[in-house]
Amino acid sequence: MTAPAYDPRDPGILADPYPAYRALREHDPVHPVPGARLWFLTRHRDCLTVLCDPRFSARQGQRLRQRRTALPTSMLNTDPPDHTRLRRAAAPAFRPGALREHERWLAPLVGAWVLRVREAALAGRETDLAADFARPLAVRVLAGFLGLPEDDLADFGGWADAVAGNLDPFADPARDGEAAMSAMCDRFADHLFARSTTPRPDAFTVLARGHLEGLLAPAEAMATAGLLVVGGVEPLGDMVTNAVAAMLAEPGRWRDLADAGGPPARRAAEELLRIDPPIQFTARTAGEDLVIGGRSIRRGDGVVPLLGAANRDGAKFTDPDRLDLGRRVNPHLSFGAGPHSCLGAPLVRLFARLLIAAVRGCPAEPRPGGAGPTRRTGAVPRGYASLPLRWS
């Protein structure tokens, strides 16, 4: 059989990549792009190998991005030892003790926003989950995590919208995105300077401490704060909309989740993260000649682990296309793996568990709204521009 074609920018694949992933896994799991030194990986074991093997460079992998503007130096586009240093400087913000402090304000915030949805349900109003709930809540979560004051929220939401394109490897941010990043970093610089003398339990304080300890240059501290925004706000909102859309596609799953005696929140959160992750792929470059999945990869070849495909590999997951909120064994790759695994994963998991706790016991059940959902056109992150819901 002729190997199936795959292009992550194809509108059909943007709408639903999973049939293409399945076809590649079955017929050409280490898939070469004709005329390019580029490979797509679809099996869990191959993706995991590349993510954990230091012979594959994340820094060189960023050269696969089709854009005219260079990204600032950050954990996203560095290899050890620089990556190790940058990660060590930011890691204290995500440790269990720090997250327990954030949970003090995060739990009531999530509860209050879920209450808004319940009120809309009781009133019979249609709700756009993306625009009215997930996106503004994600802005507030990241703003609180960083330590932004309430007065900065309006500006921050606009900046986060404008800079979101930095995560898409096929998008070249417009000038307003570059201007927004500059304005955001100017404001962040003020907060970082203030935290160097007046620490608080927030991420700005962690980054300011990293600078004072010599782990971060000023530009690196700013780039790390910017990365938290670019890699946090939109994917966090997309996690919510993708999860709800997945439950809408399988009748009964919302009732399973909302039932007070439903599956443990931790298991349900991991399964909702697995089934349709916002970050569908990442990129590496081979540092030497080697073999992956029986195919010869040459030094300098680009390799793209398709994380969304790995998450539905039947060799690793039982009934992989089914949403099983009680799934016990769930080694998904939604946060990547290895040295570059997502540093923010503990915050995302906490947020997901708090959301599930907040909807437990909710009598209303969402149904698709009249206007129908609209996916965003970008490849990364994968999410919804609009997800209208009505409530039974």
Side-chain angles (χ1 to χ4, degrees):
M1 175 178 175
T2 302
Y6 172 76
D7 183 347
R9 299 163 296 181
D10 180 89
I13 288 176
L14 288 172
D16 182 5
Y18 297 104
Y21 292 161
R22 187 183 311 114
L24 284 177
R25 253 195 330 269
E26 292 174 357
H27 302 292
D28 196 20
V30 181
H31 176 66
V33 177
R37 297 178 60 184
L38 179 64
W39 303 79
F40 288 109
L41 310 182
T42 57
R43 291 186 297 209
H44 188 284
R45 68 173 183 265
D46 296 333
C47 292
L48 184 62
T49 294
V50 167
L51 293 172
C52 296
D53 192 328
R55 294 175 295 177
F56 289 92
S57 169
R59 180 177 65 84
Q60 297 291 336
Q62 291 300 310
R63 294 183 178 179
L64 299 175
R65 300 173 68 92
Q66 298 177 13
R67 55 184 301 141
R68 62 179 175 80
T69 52
L71 292 175
T73 300
S74 71
M75 288 176 281
L76 182 67
N77 55 10
T78 51
D79 295 321
D82 285 336
H83 175 267
T84 307
R85 171 178 57 82
L86 295 172
R87 190 178 179 99
R88 182 154 58 94
F94 298 94
R95 288 174 181 161
L99 291 180
R100 282 193 293 271
E101 288 296 318
H102 287 296
E103 189 173 357
R104 296 175 187 271
W105 60 265
L106 187 54
L109 174 69
V110 169
W113 278 76
V114 170
L115 182 60
R116 292 187 185 188
V117 176
R118 289 189 180 189
E119 290 170 349
L122 290 171
R125 297 196 304 270
E126 187 167 290
T127 307
D128 187 333
L129 188 72
D132 299 337
F133 178 80
R135 180 59 176 65
L137 178 55
V139 167
R140 286 189 168 268
V141 169
L142 262 294
F145 180 74
L146 288 167
L148 286 171
E150 188 76 19
D151 291 346
D152 280 357
L153 274 177
D155 287 339
F156 179 63
W159 293 331
D161 279 337
V163 304
N166 281 289
L167 207 55
D168 190 337
F170 305 113
D172 204 2
R175 290 188 181 277
D176 59 346
E178 296 176 7
M181 181 64 81
S182 177
M184 185 174 71
C185 286
D186 285 346
R187 189 75 57 85
F188 284 3
D190 294 337
H191 292 303
L192 285 165
F193 178 77
R195 297 305 192 281
S196 64
T197 56
T198 310
R200 293 172 51 189
D202 57 36
F204 279 137
T205 296
V206 171
L207 298 179
R209 187 180 302 125
H211 169 56
L212 293 174
E213 293 175 354
L215 291 173
L216 295 174
E220 291 171 336
M222 300 305 305
T224 301
L227 179 63
L228 293 178
V229 176
V230 172
V233 172
E234 206 163 80
L236 200 61
D238 292 336
M239 177 200 73
V240 177
T241 57
N242 291 358
V244 172
M247 286 187 285
L248 291 176
E250 296 198 25
R253 291 296 169 266
W254 176 268
R255 290 192 297 274
D256 293 342
L257 183 78
D259 187 85
R266 188 179 300 274
R267 286 186 199 163
E270 294 302 316
E271 178 68 350
L272 291 168
L273 286 163
R274 178 193 74 88
I275 197 69
D276 192 16
I279 308 302
Q280 288 279 313
F281 53 80
T282 188
R284 299 288 187 269
T285 295
E288 59 183 75
D289 294 347
L290 38 77
V291 175
I292 294 291
R295 304 297 292 265
S296 296
I297 310 295
R298 294 180 298 162
R299 179 182 179 183
D301 283 1
V303 179
V304 178
L306 296 172
L307 308 178
N311 281 0
R312 298 203 186 189
D313 185 348
K316 201 69 177 179
F317 301 93
T318 302
D319 202 359
D321 293 320
R322 178 175 177 267
L323 179 64
D324 178 2
L325 296 174
R327 190 179 295 273
R328 292 176 178 272
V329 179
N330 200 343
H332 65 76
L333 299 181
S334 298
F335 296 117
H340 281 84
S341 60
C342 177
L343 183 61
L347 177 64
V348 177
R349 287 183 160 116
L350 172 61
F351 178 60
R353 293 196 299 271
L354 291 174
L355 276 172
I356 292 169
V359 303
R360 285 278 158 90
C362 178
E365 182 173 358
R367 307 287 188 190
T374 303
R375 282 276 186 188
R376 282 201 311 274
T377 56
V380 179
R382 172 173 166 79
Y384 287 87
S386 176
L387 185 61
L389 301 177
R390 57 185 177 84
W391 298 85
S392 61

